[in-house]
Amino acid sequence: MNLRNPRLPLLVAGAVAAVTLPFWAGDVYRVHLATLIAAYWILVSGLNLVVGFTGLLSVGHVGLLAIGAYAFAILAGTHEINPFVSLVIAGGVGGVCGFLLGLPSLRLPGFYFAMATLAFALIVTEVTLAQQELTGGGAGIAVPGFGGPFESPDGFYWLVAGIAVLFTVFTWNVSRRMWGRAMIALRDSDVAAASVGVPVYKVKLTTFTFSGVAAGVGGALFGALQSYITPETFVFELGMFFFICIVIGGRGVILGPFVGTIVLTALPEFVAPLANLGQFFYGALLLIVVLLVPEGIGHVFTWLRERRSPRTTDKQVVTPDLERLAAAIRAGREA
Amino acid sequence: MSVADVAASGGLQATRVTKRFGGVVAVDAVSLDLRPGEIHGLIGPNGSGKTTLLNLLSGYYAIDDGTIVLDGETLNRTPVQRRPFLGVARTFQKPRLLGSLSVLDNAMLGGWRDARAGFVGTALALGRARRDDAVLRARALELLHGVGLGGVLDRRANQLDHAEQRFLEIARGLAMRPRFILLDEPAGGLTEHEIEQLARVVTTLRDGGIGVLVVEHHTDFVFRICDRVTTLNLGRMIAQGSPQHVRNDPEVIRVYLGA
């Protein structure tokens, strides 16, 4: 749905740049930053299906990120389980928590659903503070790396980037098939969705559970990248940050939120004055996007293309082809 | 016609259905049966309960009293999301399309009941999701060409004019392979010429064996294409029968058609 041929060279160039990044990035910090973007994107790619496609306003995914990170730290660190096995389990724990959170809250209308996810994020913070024996409480907990070839910053970057590509492919596959259409139907008109038989609650719950898996995996990799986590690492602003990445990137697209994640993570690091502005920068950018391009930066490309080759919207009269219609109806009967 | 007869012939039958909103009885013990291969018109003044009855048949509202039977099976408690699987499709008075998606995508959505691939299979790009898409795309293409939207397949639905939106809703409904389709004011806002095209489409559906319920204010259109007509007033049925019979019914003339 979103991959048109003119974009292909751009995507190939982007892929080459991403694979070779450690060779041209210059210093270790930039590789660290790229790894951080990839870990964030794993979460955002799943959240994008929830927010951008299904239209559910979840602002609490930072809680699921924390759960993934702590699960990984406890399994791979405290219990010394193989990090890859721990990673898979962390994803599973994220999925289960997403499912359990979605089970009651997805019945709520939009605003109350957002409040439920917010409350969830706050509860996770309190639990990690309280469960000292498990999480180290306010002092935090060390998170082991993956060892072997993934111990070096470059190796770990490739690992995280590879998993990020995997999740991007998952979400792209979903978005361009019937599931993607059903999700957008829930976002734009749940009445229409129900009228064609889309099981509203089931689609929402499935999508939300998937986003929990993505958040769990992203959280595990995020934790391993930080190498030490405390409840302070998972401030509520981080949850808003993920949400804003998608709003700025645009709804119902994948590339837009991806660019949004890169820009919002990297820009304050490279443009020093922006870093001083901190949250103000995010706020200002959000305001500009919402006021000027409410459909998000992902749609600027579409808009430019349509400006370059304006569509001839001459009024043409609907002229049914009745024989073809009759044949199509007959085919439907026999199917 | 008794219940058993309708069940034998296959039909969507509402018997003495009643719907109350607070103290208002919107639909009051109305009976109506829709048979395959017939066009049934539902007319009446504003607020007479036409759309409410359609919403009861398609499951948006639960009925307070009476029964709705499809092929001898009671639908009273069947949720709205299940009815497409039983072969009941509908359109809306104000078209409800997905504005950001193309005409083709909108029509394909109607084929949801035949999409077999699960979420995980789709994410992993197992063959089934691709086959689903291919089948449903081919079906949607034929239907869109059939209703006359073959020239605007890639246009976003929010760029369609009013008539195109109405025809797209019909195509989406047909993509469900329905046995009955309920059209809520399909001629609303259409030009004379477009109503003519609509009449040809609707009669083609009937000839294809689909039972069509038309809720409409364009009485000329209704009397011309319908096999039977039901008239409501203030939630009650005041006349039912052939267009000829209903058109000449003194009560219908008094409350709706005018002298």
Side-chain angles (χ1 to χ4, degrees), chain A residues 219-239:
Chain A
L221 296 168
F222 170 78
L225 178 68
Q226 302 293 346
S227 74
Y228 198 89
I229 54 173
T230 72
E232 293 281 289
T233 315
F234 304 97
V235 288
F236 178 68
E237 281 84 348
L238 195 56

Tab-separated table of all heavy atoms in Angstrom, chain A residues 219-239:
chain	number	residue	atom	x	y	z
A	219	GLY	N	12.509	-3.084	24.493
A	219	GLY	CA	12.946	-2.757	25.847
A	219	GLY	C	14.174	-3.558	26.246
A	219	GLY	O	15.106	-3.010	26.856
A	220	ALA	N	14.196	-4.846	25.906
A	220	ALA	CA	15.350	-5.692	26.240
A	220	ALA	C	16.611	-5.149	25.589
A	220	ALA	O	17.664	-5.028	26.234
A	220	ALA	CB	15.079	-7.126	25.797
A	221	LEU	N	16.503	-4.788	24.302
A	221	LEU	CA	17.676	-4.279	23.573
A	221	LEU	C	18.063	-2.894	24.083
A	221	LEU	O	19.248	-2.562	24.184
A	221	LEU	CB	17.371	-4.252	22.071
A	221	LEU	CG	17.118	-5.643	21.463
A	221	LEU	CD1	16.532	-5.528	20.070
A	221	LEU	CD2	18.409	-6.454	21.436
A	222	PHE	N	17.041	-2.101	24.399
A	222	PHE	CA	17.284	-0.763	24.968
A	222	PHE	C	18.046	-0.885	26.298
A	222	PHE	O	19.033	-0.174	26.531
A	222	PHE	CB	15.942	-0.069	25.173
A	222	PHE	CG	15.996	1.213	25.952
A	222	PHE	CD1	16.421	2.393	25.341
A	222	PHE	CD2	15.604	1.254	27.284
A	222	PHE	CE1	16.464	3.578	26.062
A	222	PHE	CE2	15.643	2.441	28.007
A	222	PHE	CZ	16.083	3.600	27.396
A	223	GLY	N	17.601	-1.841	27.141
A	223	GLY	CA	18.265	-2.060	28.421
A	223	GLY	C	19.702	-2.493	28.231
A	223	GLY	O	20.623	-1.962	28.879
A	224	ALA	N	19.925	-3.446	27.303
A	224	ALA	CA	21.279	-3.935	27.059
A	224	ALA	C	22.169	-2.802	26.554
A	224	ALA	O	23.360	-2.734	26.883
A	224	ALA	CB	21.244	-5.081	26.046
A	225	LEU	N	21.601	-1.904	25.776
A	225	LEU	CA	22.361	-0.769	25.249
A	225	LEU	C	22.745	0.178	26.383
A	225	LEU	O	23.869	0.675	26.446
A	225	LEU	CB	21.535	-0.031	24.197
A	225	LEU	CG	22.175	1.220	23.582
A	225	LEU	CD1	23.374	0.839	22.724
A	225	LEU	CD2	21.173	2.021	22.777
A	226	GLN	N	21.805	0.430	27.310
A	226	GLN	CA	22.073	1.356	28.416
A	226	GLN	C	22.997	0.720	29.442
A	226	GLN	O	23.663	1.431	30.182
A	226	GLN	CB	20.755	1.750	29.106
A	226	GLN	CG	19.724	2.393	28.196
A	226	GLN	CD	20.141	3.763	27.688
A	226	GLN	OE1	21.071	4.356	28.201
A	226	GLN	NE2	19.487	4.244	26.659
A	227	SER	N	22.994	-0.598	29.508
A	227	SER	CA	23.794	-1.431	30.431
A	227	SER	C	23.450	-1.226	31.911
A	227	SER	O	23.889	-1.983	32.762
A	227	SER	CB	25.315	-1.278	30.201
A	227	SER	OG	25.769	-0.043	30.683
A	228	TYR	N	22.684	-0.205	32.233
A	228	TYR	CA	22.200	-0.048	33.614
A	228	TYR	C	20.873	0.692	33.571
A	228	TYR	O	20.755	1.720	32.914
A	228	TYR	CB	23.218	0.742	34.459
A	228	TYR	CG	23.009	0.562	35.945
A	228	TYR	CD1	23.639	-0.468	36.635
A	228	TYR	CD2	22.155	1.393	36.649
A	228	TYR	CE1	23.434	-0.665	37.991
A	228	TYR	CE2	21.936	1.205	38.010
A	228	TYR	CZ	22.580	0.174	38.668
A	228	TYR	OH	22.374	-0.034	40.001
A	229	ILE	N	19.859	0.155	34.240
A	229	ILE	CA	18.558	0.818	34.199
A	229	ILE	C	18.020	1.046	35.608
A	229	ILE	O	18.277	0.249	36.517
A	229	ILE	CB	17.516	0.003	33.375
A	229	ILE	CG1	17.416	-1.436	33.896
A	229	ILE	CG2	17.847	0.029	31.893
A	229	ILE	CD1	16.306	-2.251	33.274
A	230	THR	N	17.321	2.145	35.752
A	230	THR	CA	16.611	2.448	36.999
A	230	THR	C	15.196	2.875	36.614
A	230	THR	O	14.936	3.118	35.427
A	230	THR	CB	17.278	3.612	37.765
A	230	THR	OG1	17.007	4.817	37.046
A	230	THR	CG2	18.782	3.431	37.886
A	231	PRO	N	14.287	2.963	37.566
A	231	PRO	CA	12.942	3.448	37.216
A	231	PRO	C	12.991	4.830	36.554
A	231	PRO	O	12.123	5.180	35.758
A	231	PRO	CB	12.223	3.502	38.567
A	231	PRO	CG	12.895	2.441	39.370
A	231	PRO	CD	14.329	2.484	38.949
A	232	GLU	N	14.029	5.609	36.875
A	232	GLU	CA	14.184	6.941	36.279
A	232	GLU	C	14.408	6.891	34.775
A	232	GLU	O	14.158	7.863	34.060
A	232	GLU	CB	15.395	7.648	36.922
A	232	GLU	CG	15.204	7.973	38.375
A	232	GLU	CD	14.351	9.210	38.549
A	232	GLU	OE1	14.826	10.308	38.253
A	232	GLU	OE2	13.175	9.050	38.949
A	233	THR	N	14.956	5.730	34.292
A	233	THR	CA	15.213	5.594	32.859
A	233	THR	C	13.918	5.661	32.075
A	233	THR	O	13.889	6.095	30.920
A	233	THR	CB	15.898	4.234	32.576
A	233	THR	OG1	16.923	4.042	33.549
A	233	THR	CG2	16.499	4.180	31.191
A	234	PHE	N	12.831	5.207	32.709
A	234	PHE	CA	11.566	5.054	31.976
A	234	PHE	C	10.561	6.119	32.406
A	234	PHE	O	9.467	5.816	32.852
A	234	PHE	CB	11.016	3.642	32.201
A	234	PHE	CG	12.005	2.578	31.820
A	234	PHE	CD1	12.813	1.978	32.774
A	234	PHE	CD2	12.149	2.209	30.495
A	234	PHE	CE1	13.733	1.008	32.418
A	234	PHE	CE2	13.068	1.237	30.129
A	234	PHE	CZ	13.863	0.637	31.101
A	235	VAL	N	10.985	7.372	32.279
A	235	VAL	CA	10.101	8.478	32.658
A	235	VAL	C	8.898	8.508	31.713
A	235	VAL	O	8.966	8.035	30.576
A	235	VAL	CB	10.827	9.830	32.598
A	235	VAL	CG1	11.810	9.939	33.740
A	235	VAL	CG2	11.498	10.020	31.254
A	236	PHE	N	7.826	9.106	32.204
A	236	PHE	CA	6.611	9.143	31.403
A	236	PHE	C	6.808	9.907	30.093
A	236	PHE	O	6.189	9.587	29.080
A	236	PHE	CB	5.473	9.772	32.211
A	236	PHE	CG	4.216	9.873	31.434
A	236	PHE	CD1	3.524	8.724	31.061
A	236	PHE	CD2	3.733	11.107	31.027
A	236	PHE	CE1	2.368	8.808	30.312
A	236	PHE	CE2	2.575	11.189	30.270
A	236	PHE	CZ	1.897	10.044	29.921
A	237	GLU	N	7.726	10.922	30.100
A	237	GLU	CA	7.983	11.686	28.872
A	237	GLU	C	8.407	10.784	27.723
A	237	GLU	O	8.143	11.079	26.563
A	237	GLU	CB	9.066	12.747	29.113
A	237	GLU	CG	8.585	13.983	29.819
A	237	GLU	CD	8.566	13.815	31.331
A	237	GLU	OE1	8.721	12.656	31.801
A	237	GLU	OE2	8.376	14.812	32.028
A	238	LEU	N	9.076	9.679	28.069
A	238	LEU	CA	9.519	8.759	27.024
A	238	LEU	C	8.304	8.159	26.306
A	238	LEU	O	8.306	7.983	25.088
A	238	LEU	CB	10.396	7.664	27.638
A	238	LEU	CG	11.230	6.808	26.681
A	238	LEU	CD1	12.125	7.670	25.810
A	238	LEU	CD2	12.075	5.825	27.477
A	239	GLY	N	7.262	7.857	27.063
A	239	GLY	CA	6.037	7.340	26.462
A	239	GLY	C	5.412	8.357	25.524
A	239	GLY	O	4.947	8.015	24.430
